[in-house]
Amino acid sequence: MSISFCWRVLRIKTNGICVGDRYGVKQNIKGEGVMANSTVRRSVNRDRRRAGQEKSKSLPLITRRFAAWTVEVSLIITSAVVPFGLGVYTQARTEGTQPINPVLATAEDAIATTLALPPSNRPQQVAPLTNWLWTGALVAPIILSSWQLYLLAKTGSTLPKRWFGVRVVTAAGNPAGMRRILLREVVGAWGVPLLVAYALWHFSSAFPSLGMLAGFSLLTVLGEGISARFNRYRRCWHDLLAGTYVVDANRSYAALLGNLRPATSPLIPQYAPYAARPVPTVTMATAVPPRKRQRPDWWRWMRRNPGFAILFITLSSMAAVLGTLVGTQVYIQTQANQRQLRQQNSQQFLELVQKLSDNAPTTVEERRKAITALGTLNDPQALQMLVDLLGQETDPLLLDTIQQTIASTGLHVIPHLRRSNQSIANALDYVRYSSKPEELTLHQQRLEATQRAIANLLSIYSGHLNGVDLSRTILGENLTDSALPFALFLDNVNLSGIQLRGANLNQGSFRGTQWRSAGEDRRWNTADDRIADLSDAQLKAANLTEANLSRIAMHGANLTHAILNRANLAGTNLMGANLSSTQIVGANLQDVVLENASLTGTDLAAADLSRANLRAARLGRASALGTQLQYANATASDWRGADLSGADLSHAHLKDADLSDSRLSGVSFRNAQLQNTNLRNADLRKADLRGAQLVQTDMQGAILFKSPSPDQFIQAPPEAMLSAIVEGVDFSNAKNLDAKQLAYICTQGGRHPRCP
């Protein structure tokens, strides 16, 4: 007997399952050869998979239903998180070369506003691959959710529901259809629970904590799902809303009178959607005859009362025609009135222009009235005319009238003033070295007039400047030689939300000025916060004492010789900024970004720079007496010749930093990272080095203790009070230690291979 015949007999007798050896038949067939193990293994694996599926489908339906729901949600979240994470990874390692997708920007703003996310510094330029990946993170969940809804509507099961043997059907046992599924999922399962959670979160003290929103959402969604526990047929609220049932896809159910319910017919003695025993299938044709489609009530009423129906239709048609005619006439009349008003304004504008012309025989009082009338026209031409007059008039009385009129027109005149300011500044640069001093003086006076007008508007409309764009406007460096030179004075003014990118604000006074405020939700650190933009602005010698500059954009700003004492700069982006010789005494600089910034000669006494980013910053000869620098990232920073006496650098990252020739007396280096740090000739007396990582740290000439003077007549303080704390510190990997340093380290409890 051949091997193949024997194998077929064995499979037939055992219903397709091999007996004896599961990986061959040589135990049952002697001398006949060995079956191919690959065929047997495939059969065994297939049997195992079937057994696993049957085991999973033997779980309670409520368990499988929850497992399928978990997999569905996990797939949607993964489809968004994975491409977004890859996009962030790509953006961090690739230089941006194209603007961010406007759809992404709009979606980000909408999501941030809805969820009250903290304001973020969105990159203006991103890598092409990042754009594609972030677009995929936005589109993929929408496509996947739509596909799952389509499968659920047409087949009754998504892929996870099919894996776990779960099906959503109507009372007749058919797939629910798109209308019912949208009502079930979008409204019942997710819409109403999430809306309730959002309302509870937004109008409670938990706002704007995202953790609390996630907790509320989880409670409402799971609570809506647990509602099935209190229903006779294990139907959730969204099933009741859509008229659907969740059944076992591996069983057959009877449809009786169009309802899945415990039947009173003898054909179905007992039924429950989650019952353990199967129910015999009874088709609609054998159970009950199909019901005829019934007409709606309004149709039956019209058939019974044709006269009233015709009268109602006639009156409705007449009302629709009459409403259309009236609406058309109102629209035509409105347009005619607007045209007439524009014509009147144009005629009045022309008359006022004639009165204000140089050749017009008008008195000063008449010109003043004409200027005031221009401000009431509310017309762009009139605003531009006022701005032009501001740069042309020389009469102080008329100039004062123009300033007052411009201030009364509101912020609509800002764009006109900005263009005039930039135009005059360009002309001034052109004639600066001209041989005509009177022409230079004239341009200086015109520039000062626009500066005064802008400053008046900023002061009058304080707190309502969100979105006002004054980028590259010249508001500083007054060059006039008049007796009353212009100075930008905006103390205690609310300038939150203003755009001053590249603006000239040199020597301006902004004491106590608010550059950031909470938005409409009155909550800080949310997406609608009003944040000013001072990127690349010129603020030389500006006075910003006690100003609120928290989290605003100031990268590339020039703050040379500025005063920032006690200012709030927490979280501010000052990357690449110039703060040389700046006073920042007692300021709040927590989480500030000062990467590649210049702080040469800056006074940082008593400032708080906890968790600050000082990577590659230049702080030569800076004064940081008592400065808080815990957990600061000062990698590759330059502190040569700086005075850090009494500063706290515990847990700071100072890898590759240069602290040579610096004064570090009393500095706390507890648990600091000092790998490859340059401490040459640094004064480390009274410094606390416990827990510091001294790997390849250059200690050449570093002062660890004060040597007693041989000719000292006055008693000196104890040596321990003037010596570095090195107990338990490992100097094994430090370099350039001399004999005196080693002797001190060994006697004070430090560790080194050369210690006895």
Side-chain angles (χ1 to χ4, degrees), residues 201-221:
W201 170 70
H202 193 273
F203 297 104
S204 67
S205 59
F207 183 85
S209 172
L210 288 179
M212 295 300 297
L213 175 61
F216 285 146
S217 301
L218 185 63
L219 287 176
T220 53
V221 172

Side-chain angles (χ1 to χ4, degrees), residues 65-81 141 144-145 148 158 160-161 185 189-190 218 221-222:
R65 183 176 178 179
F66 179 75
W69 175 84
T70 304
V71 173
E72 290 170 352
V73 175
S74 301
L75 288 175
I76 294 174
I77 295 176
T78 303
S79 67
V81 171
L144 184 58
S145 301
Q148 288 187 353
T158 60
K161 282 184 170 60
E185 298 293 330
W190 294 100
L218 185 63
V221 172
L222 292 180

